[in-house]
């Protein structure tokens, strides 16, 4: 019996899996179902995610078609300056963190647009941190997600969490739905515990592939073949050094609000909010006379790959060591103006189309950095200075439980490059994860709303292998 709309879409988000890891497993024939149902009819490409490249925040482009800056949720942690003058509860609220009791607040904090769940009411989702727009009962296994998620975090039982997701996914195959969003957190959790290429991450991917096979076998009994999309929200790289930016500021004599215990820091003059842990927003809380001096000291901190801040004239200054450049957003076009050296490695003064700059930036150390820094600093909730970590470094102390042996969040290629696969042909041009939402909406036969940051892939060029 056919119970499903012929225009149905499944988006499988494999949290934190690297493009190279997935490609390597595919080359070895270890992911036969991904090959058969997704890559062979469509394709796989190395796309780019958003900055900060971290779970939750990097789901916003996939579900809303906009960057975190436009959505006004600039990090997994950010600081609400309006809450600093209140009592203890207001101050706890102001130090926003979606890791913990405030996790659900991300749904109401996103200020722009409507999610795919809102646009496609016949949606189901499994294990997503963003649930806005899902109908009652459409977020499957929320209790098991909470219990397994906590156990996985502290007891390393990610395979059990992914098994719970897989069984709910296979069971959902027989239900009526048009959009099904499935999240597998295992690869990211295991990457933090070990490294991105660890055999346990590979086994986690094979487990997901087996679930895909089971799901398809069941889905084809109850309807036509859905259009499949497979994506990761961010990459990752090993961490060998923890450099806590808040402690660096304290060492400079600046009392600093920070998670998890110093949210009520007396006489605080700064706040540091870390994402990933390779990104940090630094907020200056009073008109510090020495702001520009502090900013320079932050830029020069060991482990900082890039820093960015607003120039007060609608531009953004990007800093790498003593190099400086200015970025300006003109909508479709972006200006990159080297002022001292060439911090982004783009070569010279450029005023080019956004997509052309994306393509040029892919060969640099910081893929899509111009657009990503502009989008992030457009949010008034972003810090006065935004920092991106060098490879091998993150911005939180070794006290984190469990200690992160690998991480993400930064603007470096290891964190920004992600696999994007679809069972429909993909164009032979650079793609961003933000392009997926309008592409999926198109496959669902829906109207694409105005004002999105993403572009459906059908408007981006000819499919790979098709001569123009
Ligand atoms: Zn992670």
């Amino acid at each position: 019996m056919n119970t499903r709309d012929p225009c149905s879409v499944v988006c499988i988000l494999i949290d934190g899996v690297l493009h190279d890891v997935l490609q390597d497993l595919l080359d070895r024939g270890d992911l036969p179902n991904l090959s058969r149902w997704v890559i062979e009819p469509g394709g796989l490409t190395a796309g780019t995610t958003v900055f900060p490249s971290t779970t939750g925040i990097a789901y916003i482009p996939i579900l809303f078609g906009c960057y975190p800056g436009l959505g006004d949720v600039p990090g997994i942690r950010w600081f609400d300056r309006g809450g600093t003058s209140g009592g203890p509860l207001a101050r706890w609220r102001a130090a926003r963190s979606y890791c913990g009791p405030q996790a659900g607040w991300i749904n109401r904090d996103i200020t722009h647009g409507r999610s795919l769940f809102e646009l496609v009411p016949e949606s189901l989702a499994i294990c997503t941190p963003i649930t806005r727009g899902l109908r009652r009962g459409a977020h499957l296994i929320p209790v098991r997600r909470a219990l397994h998620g906590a156990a996985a975090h502290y007891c390393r039982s990610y395979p059990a969490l992914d098994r719970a997701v897989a069984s709910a996914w296979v069971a959902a195959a027989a239900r009526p739905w048009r959009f099904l969003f499935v999240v597998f957190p295992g690869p990211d959790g295991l990457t933090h515990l070990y490294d991105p290429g660890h055999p346990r991450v590979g086994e986690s991917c094979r487990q997901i592939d087996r679930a895909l096979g089971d799901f398809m076998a069941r889905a084809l009994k109850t309807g036509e073949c859905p259009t499949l999309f497979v994506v990761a929200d961010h990459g990752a790289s090993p961490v060998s050094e923890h450099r806590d930016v808040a402690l660096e500021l304290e060492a400079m004599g600046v009392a600093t609000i920070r998670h998890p215990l110093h949210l009520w820091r007396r006489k605080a003059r700064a706040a540091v909010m870390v994402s990933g842990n390779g990104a940090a927003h630094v907020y200056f809380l009073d008109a510090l006379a020495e702001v520009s001096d502090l900013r320079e000291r932050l830029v020069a901190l060991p482990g900082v790959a890039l820093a960015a801040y607003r120039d007060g004239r609608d531009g953004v200054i990007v800093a790498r060591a003593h190099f400086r450049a200015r970025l300006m957003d003109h909508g479709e076009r972006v200006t990159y103006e080297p002022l001292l050296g060439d911090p982004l490695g783009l070569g010279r003064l450029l005023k080019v189309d956004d997509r052309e700059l994306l393509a040029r930036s892919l060969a640099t150390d910081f893929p899509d950095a111009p657009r990503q820094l502009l989008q992030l600093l457009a949010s008034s909730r972003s810090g006065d200075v935004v920092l991106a970590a060098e490879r091998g470094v993150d911005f939180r102390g070794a006290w984190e439980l469990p200690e992160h042996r690998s991480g993400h969040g930064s603007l470096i290629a290891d964190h920004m490059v992600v696999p994007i696969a679809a069972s429909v042909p993909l164009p032979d041009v650079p793609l961003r994860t933000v392009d997926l939402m309008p592409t999926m909406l198109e496959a669902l036969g829906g109207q694409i709303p105005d004002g999105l940051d993403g572009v459906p892939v059908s408007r981006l060029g000819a499919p790979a292998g098709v001569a123009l």
Side-chain angles (χ1 to χ4, degrees):
M1 187 181 63
N2 190 332
T3 58
R4 199 170 54 250
D5 191 303
C7 291
S8 57
V9 165
V10 184
C11 180
I12 304 144
L13 194 153
I14 307 177
D15 204 302
V17 74
L18 265 57
H19 173 270
D20 289 353
V21 167
L22 216 52
Q23 185 67 62
D24 192 40
L25 291 165
L26 282 163
D27 291 345
R28 285 197 246 156
D30 280 4
L31 306 176
N33 293 297
L34 185 63
S35 286
R36 176 181 175 190
W37 297 112
V38 184
I39 314 293
E40 285 169 22
L44 167 68
T45 189
T48 49
T49 184
V50 293
F51 179 57
S53 49
T54 190
T55 302
I57 301 314
Y59 287 37
I60 294 171
I62 296 164
L63 290 173
F64 286 78
C66 72
Y67 298 126
L70 184 60
D72 227 4
V73 176
I76 202 80
R77 299 181 184 88
W78 57 274
F79 194 72
D80 182 356
R81 295 166 192 272
T84 48
S85 53
L89 184 60
R91 289 160 71 190
W92 174 74
R93 293 168 63 94
R96 195 77 94 247
S97 170
Y98 304 124
C99 310
Q102 299 178 355
W105 297 8
I106 192 170
N107 290 297
R108 61 180 197 230
D109 284 340
I110 298 170
T111 57
H112 181 84
R114 290 186 292 165
S115 71
L116 264 176
F117 305 139
E118 288 166 289
L119 293 165
V120 184
E122 308 88 350
S123 293
L124 295 177
I126 303 167
C127 210
T128 174
I130 295 179
T131 56
R132 195 165 92 190
L134 282 171
R135 289 176 172 178
R136 184 184 291 271
H139 186 207
L140 309 179
I141 62 163
V143 176
R144 278 159 72 195
R145 172 181 181 249
L147 296 176
H148 278 292
H153 186 77
Y154 293 106
C155 308
R156 308 179 171 219
S157 54
Y158 284 100
L161 174 60
D162 279 357
R163 274 197 299 276
V165 172
S167 73
W169 183 27
V170 175
R175 291 177 56 165
W177 45 266
R178 291 186 63 225
F179 177 56
L180 180 49
F181 183 54
V182 190
V183 175
F184 285 95
D188 179 57
L190 294 167
T191 292
H192 284 301
L193 294 172
Y194 305 103
D195 67 79
H198 194 274
R200 291 196 64 185
V201 176
E203 181 47 39
S204 175
C205 294
R206 285 187 281 271
Q207 183 185 336
I208 294 165
D209 186 75
R210 289 192 289 274
L212 172 60
D214 294 345
F215 169 80
M216 287 305 294
R218 194 147 191 211
L220 291 174
K221 285 184 191 158
T222 53
E224 291 178 35
C225 186
T227 307
L228 301 168
F229 293 85
V230 178
V231 64
D233 51 338
H234 56 74
S237 59
V239 172
S240 55
E241 195 180 344
H242 304 288
R243 297 201 69 101
D244 193 319
V245 175
L247 295 185
E248 305 273 6
L249 277 170
E250 292 275 358
M252 296 175 203
V254 179
T256 302
I257 293 171
R258 58 192 184 273
H259 289 94
L261 299 176
H262 295 82
L263 305 184
W264 302 273
R265 184 80 173 87
R266 281 164 53 84
K267 299 185 178 165
R269 296 162 66 216
V272 171
M273 299 285 132
V274 178
S275 286
N277 297 325
H281 288 276
V282 181
Y283 302 77
F284 298 125
L285 302 184
D286 51 21
L288 296 177
E290 68 275 35
V291 159
S292 64
D293 175 49
L294 275 177
R295 205 165 55 200
E296 291 306 307
R297 293 172 76 178
L298 289 170
V299 172
L301 283 177
V304 170
L306 283 180
Y309 45 90
R310 304 171 188 90
D311 71 350
R313 294 184 295 158
D314 296 331
V316 164
I317 300 294
V318 52
R320 174 161 173 74
H322 58 281
F323 296 151
R324 299 288 182 276
R326 178 180 289 115
L327 296 165
M328 292 286 287
D329 187 358
H330 315 282
E332 301 269 295
R333 290 160 79 85
V334 171
T335 299
Y336 173 70
E337 180 189 3
L339 303 172
L340 184 62
D342 178 15
L344 294 184
L346 289 162
R348 59 185 171 82
L349 173 66
L350 296 168
K351 185 173 183 181
V352 292
D353 175 77
D354 167 69
R355 290 278 164 178
E356 188 187 333
L357 194 51
L358 166 63
R360 286 179 185 234
S361 73
L362 295 183
T364 72
D365 294 338
F366 306 104
D368 207 22
R371 171 54 71 202
Q372 293 306 315
L373 292 171
L374 285 167
Q375 65 85 9
L376 192 63
L377 283 156
S379 168
S380 60
R381 292 172 173 174
S382 282
D384 295 295
V385 183
V386 178
L387 305 175
E390 287 281 12
R391 192 176 196 279
V393 177
D394 73 7
F395 290 145
R396 294 192 102 193
W399 48 264
E400 186 149 42
L401 273 176
E403 183 186 350
H404 283 190
R405 297 213 170 95
S406 291
H408 47 84
S410 183
L411 258 170
I412 60 174
D414 286 344
H415 299 183
M416 292 297 293
V417 174
V418 294
I420 296 178
S423 64
V424 290
L426 294 171
D428 195 10
V429 297
L431 298 182
R432 296 172 168 133
T433 56
V434 77
D435 300 323
L436 278 183
M437 183 269 199
T439 302
M440 292 192 283
L441 204 48
E442 202 170 57
L444 284 157
Q447 277 244 315
I448 298 171
D450 292 334
L452 298 183
D453 289 319
V455 179
V457 299
S458 61
R459 292 186 206 161
L460 283 174
V466 176
L468 287 169

